[in-house]
Amino acid sequence: MGILFAVLTAVSQAILWVSLKKSYENLKPSIAFFFDMLFGILLWVPFSLLMGVDFPRLGAVFAYALISAVLSEAFVFYVFSKGEVSYTSTIFSTYPLFTIFFSIILNGERLTLVQWLLVFLVVIGTIVVSLPTKISRSELAKKSFIVWPLLGALAVGISDTLSKGIIDQTSAGTFLFGLAFAQIPVSLGYLRAERQKIPTLTTVQREWKSYKFAILGALMNTLTVLFLWLSFSMIPASIVSPITASYPGFVVIMAVVWLKEKVLRKDYLGFLLILIGTIGVSYFSP
């Protein structure tokens, strides 16, 4: 089940990043994150209560949840507002490398040689699929082309490793419950930092075309996080992270099936590597 939730995380991310980037044409990232916070309360809280919340440990969990709300959530929303999504996602998809590195050091995770080889296949396949065919000189000239997505990948790697550690000590339900409420002050602070007002229901209805992608992206991020922490509660982060970062492969599938787009040979090769790695990790995992 842990592998299944990791794959669902990748699928929801494929929709998430495209939707968010589209919303940034009209709205600030803090607006999308505000809706993300609302969906977190509506979905994570009841789900967590059904799973079971370790209330005596909630105080300790909240500190880690606050770190996650800033590094893995709000900051990543900001990162994807800097530059084109194809370029940003290429570098950001390397976050499993940081997660694996910190998981070994901080959480003491260990993989077998076969698992390492299969994880490597997933990482390579992800990079192959997500690489754009052409990169403009103007984009390369910008330092943000590398700096922001690399910082985002590093932030997620650190945050996910810390979160995985506290989830192992408590439960995914406890962490999700804490994260739902940790995002409230982070969201309000984010709005204030970007000098944005809380959108009213009347405003959203009147300007639905401007808000719909922000709402869709926020909903998909809420589901992404839910699937992620469920997978973290079942299998090592060193295995989960590379699979979740394979979302460019699912973007390829969606483009072929729904948009009838042509796919390059490199994309087929990349997705084949992702598929072999994912199935292999699932087979060789306990």
Side-chain angles (χ1 to χ4, degrees):
M1 285 298 290
I3 299 295
L4 174 61
F5 284 125
V7 171
L8 288 174
T9 302
V11 173
S12 56
Q13 276 198 93
I15 305 171
L16 159 64
W17 299 128
V18 175
S19 300
L20 278 187
K21 189 60 181 179
K22 185 69 176 177
S23 75
Y24 294 162
E25 294 177 2
N26 302 301
L27 302 170
K28 292 286 188 180
S30 58
I31 298 294
F33 189 70
F34 174 77
F35 289 115
D36 179 70
M37 178 268 291
L38 293 180
F39 280 124
I41 294 173
L42 292 174
L43 297 179
W44 294 343
V45 171
F47 186 82
S48 299
L49 292 173
L50 287 174
M51 289 183 64
V53 177
D54 186 358
F55 285 102
R57 301 289 305 277
L58 197 56
V61 169
F62 189 80
Y64 289 92
L66 192 60
I67 293 173
S68 180
V70 174
L71 296 183
S72 284
E73 305 298 323
F75 183 60
V76 176
F77 272 56
Y78 178 75
V79 164
F80 271 79
S81 69
K82 312 292 286 187
E84 297 184 18
V85 69
S86 57
Y87 302 147
T88 303
S89 62
T90 299
I91 301 174
F92 179 73
S93 64
T94 62
Y95 69 79
L97 301 178
F98 295 103
T99 303
I100 292 171
F101 174 75
F102 289 116
S103 292
I104 292 173
I105 294 177
L106 300 179
N107 293 340
E109 292 186 0
R110 294 292 182 268
L111 302 181
T112 65
L113 178 60
V114 173
Q115 287 175 323
W116 272 117
L117 291 175
L118 292 168
V119 166
F120 181 73
L121 281 182
V122 175
V123 173
I124 294 300
T126 298
I127 294 174
V128 169
V129 171
S130 59
L131 279 173
T133 53
K134 293 182 180 181
I135 301 177
S136 63
R137 292 183 179 180
S138 60
E139 194 69 27
L140 280 172
K142 301 176 184 177
K143 292 183 179 180
S144 60
F145 171 77
I146 294 177
V147 174
W148 285 113
L150 192 60
L151 286 175
L154 176 61
V156 168
I158 295 173
S159 177
D160 283 1
T161 301
L162 295 174
S163 300
K164 167 63 174 173
I166 197 65
I167 286 174
D168 287 344
Q169 297 174 38
T170 56
S171 68
T174 304
F175 186 84
L176 276 174
F177 189 86
L179 182 60
F181 289 98
Q183 286 197 153
I184 296 175
V186 175
S187 175
L188 296 178
Y190 199 175
L191 286 170
R192 184 172 182 178
E194 291 193 332
R195 299 180 180 179
Q196 299 295 302
K197 295 181 179 179
I198 295 176
T200 63
L201 182 59
T202 303
T203 302
V204 173
Q205 290 176 331
R206 186 177 63 249
E207 302 177 24
W208 174 248
K209 288 185 178 180
S210 298
Y211 282 90
K212 62 181 180 180
F213 288 108
I215 293 173
L216 175 61
L219 175 60
M220 296 313 300
N221 186 63
T222 305
L223 294 176
T224 295
V225 173
L226 175 61
F227 296 143
L228 177 66
W229 300 133
L230 286 174
S231 61
F232 270 1
S233 68
M234 299 175 186
I235 55 178
S238 305
I239 292 176
V240 173
S241 195
I243 296 175
T244 63
S246 66
Y247 61 86
F250 292 97
V251 172
V252 171
I253 293 178
M254 292 175 187
V256 172
V257 174
W258 290 327
L259 303 179
K260 309 300 181 183
E261 292 184 358
K262 293 182 178 180
V263 180
L264 301 175
R265 290 182 180 179
K266 76 172 185 67
D267 294 332
Y268 284 118
L269 172 62
F271 190 71
L272 179 62
L273 293 175
I274 292 169
L275 189 62
I276 293 173
T278 301
I279 293 174
V281 165
S282 177
Y283 180 79
F284 288 103
S285 295

